Amino acid sequence: MPAPIRLRELIRTIRTARTQAEEREMIQKECAAIRSSFREEDNTYRCRNVAKLLYMHMLGYPAHFGQLECLKLIASQKFTDKRIGYLGAMLLLDERQDVHLLMTNCIKNDLNHSTQYVQGLALCTLGCMGSSEMCRDLAGEVEKLLKTSNSYLRKKAALCAVHVIRKVPELMEMFLPATKNLLSEKNHGVLHTSVVLLTEMCERSPDMLAHFRKLVPQLVRILKNLIMSGYSPEHDVSGISDPFLQVRILRLLRILGKSDDDSSEAMNDILAQVATNTETSKNVGNAILYETVLTIMDIKSESGLRVLAINILGRFLLNNDKNIRYVALTSLLKTVQTDHNAVQRHRSTIVDCLKDLDVSIKRRAMELSFALVNGNNIRGMMKELLYFLDSCDPEFKADCASGVFLAAEKYAPSKRWHIDTIMRVLTTAGSYVRDDSVPNLIQLITNSVEMHAYTVQRLYKALLDDISQQPLVQVASWCIGEYGDLLVSGQCEEEEPIQVTEDEVLDVLEGLLVSNLSTPVTRGYSLTAIMKLSTRFSSVNRIKKVVSIYGSSIDVELQQRAVEYNALFKKYDHMRPALLERMPIMEKTATNGPTEIVQTNGETEPSVVEPKHPPPVTQPANQANDLLDLLGGNDVVPVIQTTLPTKPASAGGELLDLLGDLSLSGGPTPAPAPSVPTSQPSFLLDGLSSQPLFNDIAAAGIPPMIAYNKNGLKIDFTFERANPNPNIAVITIHASNTTEADMTDFVFQAAVPKTFQLQLLSPSSNVVPALNQGTVTQVIRVLNPQKQQLRMRIKLTYTHKGSPVQDLAEVNNFPPQSWQ
Amino acid sequence: MQFMLLFSRQGKLRLQKWYVPLSDKERKKISRDLVQTILARKPKMCSFLEWRDLKIVYKRYASLYFCCAVEDQDNELITLEIIHRYVELLDKYFGSVCELDIIFNFEKAYFILDEFLLGGEAQETSKKNVLKAIEQADLLQEKTIFHLQSVLEKNVICP
């Protein structure tokens, strides 16, 4: 059989292929030749064949049949064979296949080989791809080599040890003795790899960290020598001596100095020295400065040093090199929380970076700008950010819009400015605004009572211009529905009131209904808005007509609404004014918090849970109950809402959704599900017929139950009926803790199916003391108008012995008397 | 470092060094996607990007892109220096290295890389020492080949 062709020959041949098919053909032919050569156990040419196989593998062709051949090459005595064999192993084998374990013995032998280059090959392979089993078997050999005086092997052993530790952390201890005098080496290779090894150990184990703190002086000395020593040709890079080693030392110092005053003190001087003396004209110098800044910010450095660091970052921002600017922005983002004022000084430079051409830089500049916005600079910053919003790429618009809304909410200098800003965002980036912004904005608008006329006017004008941006259209139609009367009466104070007739308004809203640009959600908004105007406008007949047309709409949602509204016109017309009244001011709830309603009317900070705040929502409930008392019957809906629920309201309900994926409604007002209109009529009918005015079942008759009992936390429910409303069950939870440690930050959350409404009052405390020394109580009120079986899903979060615990549970074992 | 890729402007891989355990299929997918992403970037853009959950550092030298994926705590600027050092080593070894050298001598490119980096970290910061080690290893290889050659052929060949 002729000698297999040489590697370079093969490469040349394959490159002459003009098409993919031609290349594939050549490769297949060669593979076949190689396969038969392997079958013949040809020792002479195995190396050549495997090398060719590796080339073909790089082109993307399968080469798994060469795996065993690599192992044979590794086992060979020839250096050439071993070189290719180990390379093949690193490229073709991976630790998921058992085949790789066959290497272990070879590697072990080679680690003890007489030639250091063979030992080097073995260390390299082990350090690159050694599996945990291999590492376990060979750790001892690596440890031995870590102590050798041969620096060529010592440096490789150090990095191999790093890999072993990453794979099998328990083996870290065994390398400890060998680290004893690693830093006294003169050889930079060994120094560098030793610092890497020490860094790995310190990152993984606080004990090691404490142990190695004593090395700080030595590290400082080495760093000092590097800086002060003259030109050393061997390690010089653009005038800086061994920047790689400098950077690694700085990183290790960072880890050692963090949260430790003494160590931080010991490195102050050298850090200042590096920061001021390093040449910044080339990337190398800046790399060192960057690492220095990171270290200064992380350790307990004195304030002068921190200011120095931030100023370095400020200078980076002005650098022509965009990589440097990128790195500066990233670091500033990390430090903006802790050193806010210092970073503020560079605000204008950061804002300029918004105009940079590079996407990553723009993104960082945007994030940083939002972090820097405060009450003082809000107007100026917002101008820049809105300009950015206008001109930025679509991928940024959603985040930027959300950021603008958040910043505006927190720092708006006036209501008018706030509304104007919102309008600007909606009109320029309206289609990118997140869906959840719509209910937020609506809630904001409702709260700015004196701006209603101005808002609705501006929104109306925006609608006249453009109806393609759905969030804008949705907010606008909701507002027109609510405040249409202000619009036509021309009451605007803030700007020139426009002259608009009822018909024109209705034209616009009807236009939304028929437009192809409107999504189904938007159509729902506009239909409801039209309906609401029936109590605000005089052209009721026109509205009736529109509503009845949509009673046969193909869109089920629209159809349902239209039918219900029709029913409102026909059978329940006497209720219509009350139902379509102005929306009350909506309280804002924390979207992630417990279902407690905290009054934040007018204040727009996300609500902080305050233990003693009684939810104000009980007022409407009381009113409803009072009505019941007066009328002595159930022909008035005792449900807590007084307006027709509209889509935004239910979207607000989704905001209140605790356990969103269960789509259980978590809060009382303002969000009963849109299906309530249908339940109202039926309830009224039921109410008229069944009339259980007072609940005869005494509170004491309902037995308490254990709702949850796990991991030492027990939650009992006790019941009472809310008089006079028999449909409200009042449940008191009692949480107790049988473990020896307190459960702190205890939060109880509950969610119920759609047909119920739930109200959660403040808990007595958020610490459940250990060993049953006390209980946390909290009251839940559940409205169950349809007398359905009560089910509840609860979520418990608390901190126990330092770690956070979270649990979800279903509570299904409610006694029948609690809901019947 | 998690991996290093070298690829041409047409997206052909010239070298791939993986320091994390991934199957062949996963490697192929990552390579393909990352190469596309980088090739789509304009020349004026910065050398760093976040891709999936990795930090990517890349630089173009003539017709070859050198691309590294590094960990969160790694210093991007020094990674650029690492890439540059590797290019310098290749340049010194091959004498004014070009893409063809790396295509035809890919195994040597790997050997040089393995003398410079181990497990994703630099093992030797002196250019001279890396080149010396490669030289010695090559000599060792020649010795064994020469022996082989005297049995088989006249000219010194590589495997």
Side-chain angles (χ1 to χ4, degrees):
Chain A
M1 183 178 154
I5 68 170
R6 301 188 213 138
L7 172 67
R8 318 268 174 247
E9 193 65 50
L10 177 69
I11 297 177
R12 208 169 295 131
T13 316
I14 292 179
R15 283 174 63 80
T16 61
R18 268 159 298 169
T19 65
Q20 185 76 351
E22 216 180 308
E23 181 184 279
R24 213 183 352 245
E25 211 182 294
M26 291 180 191
I27 302 256
Q28 269 170 2
K29 202 165 125 213
E30 186 58 36
C31 274
I34 294 179
R35 276 184 139 113
S36 42
S37 183
F38 284 164
R39 263 197 302 271
E40 288 168 21
E41 296 286 335
D42 187 334
N43 287 335
T44 334
Y45 292 109
R46 182 177 287 124
C47 181
R48 186 187 288 188
N49 285 327
V50 169
K52 285 187 288 187
L53 204 54
L54 292 180
Y55 177 73
M56 295 190 285
H57 176 251
M58 185 138 68
L59 291 178
Y61 296 93
H64 43 270
F65 56 91
Q67 287 169 357
L68 277 174
E69 302 300 315
C70 292
L71 295 173
K72 291 183 199 162
L73 283 175
I74 293 175
S76 154
Q77 284 314 305
K78 291 191 263 201
F79 183 65
T80 321
D81 284 356
K82 283 189 191 287
R83 238 183 168 186
I84 296 289
Y86 276 117
L87 179 61
M90 285 192 273
L91 287 175
L92 297 181
L93 292 174
D94 76 79
E95 60 174 55
R96 289 162 211 219
Q97 298 152 340
D98 290 334
V99 168
H100 81 282
L101 287 171
L102 297 171
M103 267 200 293
T104 316
N105 219 27
C106 283
I107 295 188
K108 188 170 191 164
N109 292 335
D110 283 341
L111 284 174
N112 292 307
H113 204 273
S114 50
T115 314
Q116 69 175 13
Y117 297 106
V118 173
Q119 290 173 292
L121 283 176
L123 280 168
C124 180
T125 309
L126 183 58
C128 173
M129 58 157 308
S131 63
S132 350
E133 297 94 337
M134 282 170 70
C135 287
R136 251 183 250 274
D137 287 339
L138 300 169
E141 305 295 326
V142 175
E143 198 258 342
K144 235 174 18 190
L145 287 170
L146 192 51
K147 296 194 276 215
T148 176
S149 53
N150 179 335
S151 47
Y152 178 76
L153 291 175
R154 208 168 183 204
K155 70 186 188 205
K156 289 182 194 272
L159 288 182
C160 199
V162 171
H163 180 85
V164 168
I165 291 174
R166 284 183 185 157
K167 283 293 190 189
V168 192
E170 305 90 68
L171 291 175
M172 186 164 37
E173 295 286 326
M174 117 186 230
F175 293 106
L176 188 54
T179 61
K180 229 183 171 88
N181 39 19
L182 275 178
L183 290 185
S184 14
E185 266 275 359
K186 287 279 181 279
N187 180 299
H188 280 224
V190 177
L191 271 178
H192 185 272
T193 57
S194 306
V195 173
V196 174
L197 176 57
L198 291 170
T199 309
E200 186 72 28
M201 291 168 107
C202 290
E203 275 174 345
R204 285 187 180 263
S205 153
D207 293 331
M208 291 287 184
L209 180 59
H211 173 82
F212 285 124
R213 277 225 174 86
K214 60 177 191 270
L215 292 176
V216 169
Q218 207 173 353
L219 289 165
V220 169
R221 220 172 20 246
I222 299 175
L223 191 51
K224 196 167 191 143
N225 284 337
L226 284 173
I227 305 173
M228 307 298 275
S229 69
Y231 176 73
S232 137
E234 198 173 329
H235 298 109
D236 180 272
V237 179
S238 304
I240 297 182
S241 191
D242 207 338
F244 304 107
L245 183 55
Q246 287 194 34
V247 165
R248 265 350 271 243
I249 293 182
L250 285 164
R251 187 160 148 187
L252 182 54
L253 285 175
R254 175 154 83 245
I255 297 172
L256 294 174
K258 195 171 184 157
S259 337
D260 187 88
D261 290 319
D262 293 329
S263 307
S264 304
E265 172 89 41
M267 24 177 121
N268 256 318
D269 286 341
I270 190 68
L271 290 174
Q273 211 176 350
V274 175
T276 42
N277 288 347
T278 308
E279 183 66 48
T280 60
S281 54
K282 293 260 176 79
N283 182 58
V284 199
N286 288 322
I288 295 179
L289 278 179
Y290 176 41
E291 197 74 35
T292 313
V293 166
L294 289 177
T295 302
I296 293 175
M297 300 316 291
D298 240 11
I299 65 172
K300 297 193 163 236
S301 46
E302 44 183 53
S303 59
L305 204 52
R306 294 180 90 84
V307 171
L308 180 60
I310 303 249
N311 287 344
I312 291 178
L313 290 179
R315 274 206 311 276
F316 273 8
L317 280 179
L318 300 166
N319 196 306
N320 286 329
D321 187 342
K322 48 193 153 3
N323 294 334
I324 311 273
R325 290 205 298 276
Y326 175 93
V327 144
L329 287 171
T330 314
S331 318
L332 283 171
L333 200 53
K334 281 190 226 159
T335 62
V336 75
Q337 301 303 332
T338 46
D339 293 84
H340 192 91
N341 293 329
V343 181
Q344 279 283 1
R345 263 179 245 134
H346 301 279
R347 195 179 65 242
S348 49
T349 327
I350 293 171
V351 166
D352 280 339
C353 289
L354 284 173
K355 307 189 183 91
D356 201 294
L357 294 164
D358 185 295
V359 167
S360 316
I361 291 184
K362 273 205 280 225
R363 176 164 288 281
R364 277 177 164 55
M366 180 181 84
E367 286 170 10
L368 203 47
S369 301
F370 280 123
L372 288 176
V373 169
N374 63 27
N376 294 327
N377 58 32
I378 178 76
R379 283 188 194 265
M381 287 296 276
M382 199 49 87
K383 218 167 33 182
E384 296 285 344
L385 288 166
L386 286 173
Y387 181 72
F388 174 68
L389 183 62
D390 284 343
S391 51
C392 69
D393 298 326
E395 55 188 281
F396 287 115
K397 294 216 189 211
D399 290 327
C400 190
S402 305
V404 167
F405 286 146
L406 223 75
E409 242 180 78
K410 275 205 234 171
Y411 302 112
S414 75
K415 287 255 158 72
R416 159 106 190 238
W417 181 94
H418 197 171
I419 302 277
D420 283 342
T421 308
I422 293 176
M423 288 294 308
R424 176 87 183 268
V425 174
L426 284 178
T427 46
T428 53
S431 11
Y432 299 98
V433 161
R434 294 218 168 85
D435 290 337
D436 62 355
S437 321
V438 171
N440 279 338
L441 290 175
I442 287 175
Q443 188 247 313
L444 219 72
I445 292 172
T446 353
N447 284 348
S448 330
V449 177
E450 62 278 14
M451 304 295 300
H452 284 169
Y454 172 69
T455 313
V456 69
Q457 183 164 296
R458 286 212 58 187
L459 285 168
Y460 178 76
K461 285 201 270 193
L463 266 193
L464 291 177
D465 277 333
D466 171 22
I467 59 169
S468 64
Q469 304 193 83
Q470 299 305 295
L472 171 63
V473 173
Q474 287 167 11
V475 174
S477 25
W478 190 92
C479 284
I480 295 176
E482 271 297 297
Y483 311 120
D485 46 326
L486 297 175
L487 186 58
V488 296
S489 63
Q491 281 179 28
C492 184
E493 287 170 0
E494 299 283 340
E495 63 173 24
E496 191 63 39
I498 59 173
Q499 305 298 329
V500 132
T501 65
E502 293 183 0
D503 278 322
E504 284 170 336
V505 175
L506 287 172
D507 283 341
V508 168
L509 287 176
E510 281 186 51
L512 293 176
L513 273 176
V514 300
S515 165
N516 285 333
L517 296 166
S518 300
T519 62
V521 168
T522 308
R523 293 206 172 93
Y525 271 87
S526 40
L527 187 60
T528 306
I530 293 177
M531 186 59 194
K532 282 202 245 177
L533 289 175
S534 70
T535 50
R536 295 160 175 70
F537 282 4
S538 49
S539 26
V540 183
N541 287 326
R542 179 172 173 182
I543 295 176
K544 269 198 200 162
K545 226 178 5 180
V546 174
V547 167
S548 61
I549 291 173
Y550 281 88
S552 41
S553 160
I554 300 176
D555 183 329
V556 175
E557 174 71 36
L558 274 182
Q559 192 190 108
Q560 179 177 356
R561 284 174 192 235
V563 164
E564 290 165 11
Y565 297 161
N566 255 332
L568 214 51
F569 273 125
K570 299 206 167 72
K571 278 207 263 178
Y572 303 103
D573 207 41
H574 54 287
M575 291 183 55
R576 193 164 45 88
L579 282 170
L580 300 179
E581 237 177 43
R582 274 267 202 281
M583 282 284 212
I585 293 171
M586 287 184 240
E587 282 87 17
K588 176 144 187 201
T589 57
T591 50
N592 300 321
T595 46
E596 237 168 87
I597 312 294
V598 179
Q599 177 119 27
T600 52
N601 189 7
E603 204 188 319
T604 49
E605 303 265 320
S607 53
V608 173
V609 175
E610 284 171 275
K612 294 304 170 196
H613 245 122
V617 182
T618 44
Q619 284 165 18
N622 288 337
Q623 284 169 11
N625 293 338
D626 290 343
L627 275 173
L628 251 190
D629 277 347
L630 282 176
L631 299 170
N634 284 354
D635 55 350
V636 174
V637 177
V639 180
I640 300 171
Q641 98 282 359
T642 52
T643 57
L644 194 68
T646 58
K647 192 69 176 188
S650 67
E654 275 137 33
L655 266 183
L656 298 172
D657 263 359
L658 249 196
L659 307 170
D661 55 334
L662 304 176
S663 58
L664 300 174
S665 64
T669 55
S675 59
V676 176
T678 40
S679 67
Q680 279 171 15
S682 58
F683 176 75
L684 286 172
L685 291 173
D686 284 344
L688 287 170
S689 52
S690 54
Q691 308 207 18
L693 287 180
F694 298 100
N695 202 327
D696 292 329
I697 304 169
I702 307 177
M705 58 177 262
I706 299 176
Y708 176 91
N709 193 350
K710 209 163 130 186
N711 297 329
L713 175 65
K714 184 155 87 90
I715 301 195
D716 298 302
F717 283 6
T718 57
F719 300 88
E720 47 186 66
R721 278 279 176 214
N723 279 319
N725 189 335
N727 295 317
I728 297 183
V730 179
I731 306 172
T732 308
I733 72 152
H734 306 265
S736 54
N737 169 8
T738 54
T739 68
E740 321 102 18
D742 289 351
M743 295 172 179
T744 54
D745 303 309
F746 177 81
V747 172
F748 173 92
Q749 292 167 269
V752 288
K754 260 205 174 75
T755 49
F756 300 82
Q757 285 177 30
L758 178 134
Q759 187 184 13
L760 200 58
L761 308 188
S762 321
S764 58
S765 100
N766 62 355
V767 175
V768 190
L771 300 171
N772 290 326
Q773 287 165 30
T775 58
V776 167
T777 56
Q778 194 166 2
V779 174
I780 314 174
R781 295 162 61 103
V782 182
L783 176 70
N784 183 2
Q786 296 187 18
K787 302 266 188 230
Q788 295 203 347
Q789 177 175 12
L790 186 56
R791 285 171 14 235
M792 195 183 277
R793 214 178 265 204
I794 61 178
K795 180 173 173 187
L796 307 153
T797 43
Y798 55 92
T799 308
H800 190 233
K801 293 183 185 166
S803 31
V805 180
Q806 189 175 298
D807 199 5
L808 285 170
E810 284 239 25
V811 184
N812 288 325
N813 51 336
F814 285 93
Q817 304 98 311
S818 65
W819 47 269
Q820 268 169 354
Chain B
M1 193 183 298
Q2 299 212 2
F3 59 81
M4 181 190 281
L5 302 175
L6 265 68
F7 53 92
S8 71
R9 281 201 287 181
Q10 289 75 38
K12 290 205 147 195
L13 264 185
R14 299 300 178 202
L15 186 145
Q16 46 169 336
K17 187 76 189 178
W18 296 83
Y19 295 108
V20 286
L22 287 168
S23 72
D24 223 24
K25 204 164 116 192
E26 287 166 321
R27 289 180 187 184
K28 273 208 174 112
K29 180 146 202 322
I30 291 178
S31 308
R32 200 173 39 232
D33 292 345
L34 184 55
V35 167
Q36 297 289 41
T37 309
I38 293 182
L39 288 175
R41 280 169 79 84
K42 303 193 198 66
K44 288 280 180 209
M45 298 179 92
C46 85
S47 296
F48 313 131
L49 69 143
E50 279 108 31
W51 183 81
R52 312 255 169 108
D53 51 353
L54 295 168
K55 281 210 293 203
I56 305 288
V57 180
Y58 74 95
K59 191 152 183 205
R60 205 185 108 205
Y61 287 85
S63 58
L64 265 185
Y65 283 88
F66 287 70
C67 167
C68 299
V70 294
E71 275 96 9
D72 247 357
Q73 329 89 291
D74 286 331
N75 181 330
E76 294 97 320
L77 296 177
I78 207 75
T79 310
L80 278 176
E81 291 300 318
I82 298 236
I83 292 179
H84 191 73
R85 173 56 64 90
Y86 182 46
V87 173
E88 283 179 327
L89 289 167
L90 289 170
D91 194 59
K92 213 50 194 287
Y93 183 82
F94 288 109
S96 289
V97 68
C98 62
E99 191 184 344
L100 274 179
D101 290 320
I102 301 188
I103 294 173
F104 278 92
N105 301 286
F106 71 93
E107 83 278 13
K108 299 231 173 72
Y110 275 108
F111 296 153
I112 296 173
L113 186 61
D114 286 340
E115 278 301 327
F116 176 41
L117 303 179
L118 199 156
E121 305 281 351
Q123 58 181 284
E124 180 57 68
T125 55
S126 149
K127 231 188 313 194
K128 189 178 88 182
N129 285 348
V130 176
L131 291 166
K132 199 161 69 174
I134 291 286
E135 208 182 289
Q136 299 288 1
D138 279 349
L139 270 175
L140 194 55
Q141 185 168 309
E142 294 293 307
K143 266 198 279 197
T144 55
I145 293 177
F146 190 65
H147 174 77
L148 199 70
Q149 285 323 109
S150 61
V151 175
L152 292 170
E153 282 173 345
K154 285 223 165 55
N155 307 328
V156 174
I157 56 164
C158 311

